[in-house]
Amino acid sequence: MRIVAGRWRGRTLTSPTWDGLRPTSDRLRETLFDILAPVIDGARVLDGYAGTGAVGIEALSRGAAHVTFVERDPRAVRLIETNLAALGPSGANDRAIIRADFMIVAARLGNRSFDLIIVDPPYAHDAAEQALTAAAPLAGPSTRLIVEHASRFAAPAAVDGLQVRRTVKAGDSALSFYER
């Protein structure tokens, strides 16, 4: 894995050495951030189901003001910390890592404001809908919420006032973009 663009472009990220963690591919991250380019600079981002941290790190590289990483697996949290440390000194205020289940954290973050919420739950039949339902209360009037999911399972058209605006498919993966 590598950082696709921005201030850390081309830097390599450490990949997991165990089964069960599916990092977002470089190509899919590039597609995601090409679409989000007009709104990423200065954005406050929530990276749910953060895994390796590649999505949140890409956001920081491209100018996001802050990323909150949420990941429950302690091995993955250490991987995020390793990947962030490898980028060298940077402002400590531009990131936070929360080690917990996303569903629990989403319920507790209700008073926080995010410009972008990106969730990448496991590729199970109803995982995208569950993640979207958990994240929906965190989405303000101008928040964009993106769910990565298996392309074989359609994401819901609407949840809690959020409407799908666009879905992009790439192989077994899909990105569904929601807005209020």
Side-chain angles (χ1 to χ4, degrees), residues 34-119:
D34 284 351
I35 292 168
L36 296 176
V39 297
I40 195 67
D41 193 43
R44 296 188 54 78
V45 179
L46 175 62
D47 182 0
Y49 304 88
T52 63
V55 169
I57 291 170
E58 187 76 38
L60 287 170
S61 181
R62 291 176 182 239
H66 180 87
V67 175
T68 299
F69 298 88
V70 179
E71 175 56 54
R72 71 177 182 175
D73 187 328
R75 298 170 299 179
V77 169
R78 286 190 298 276
L79 194 57
I80 295 166
E81 291 167 343
T82 298
N83 282 330
L84 286 167
L87 300 174
S90 182
N93 294 330
D94 66 356
R95 65 189 77 141
I97 302 171
I98 301 171
R99 184 183 151 219
D101 183 86
F102 179 76
M103 302 294 193
I104 294 168
V105 171
R108 293 183 182 160
L109 289 176
N111 61 346
R112 302 249 178 114
S113 173
F114 297 98
D115 302 302
L116 295 170
I117 300 171
I118 305 167
V119 293

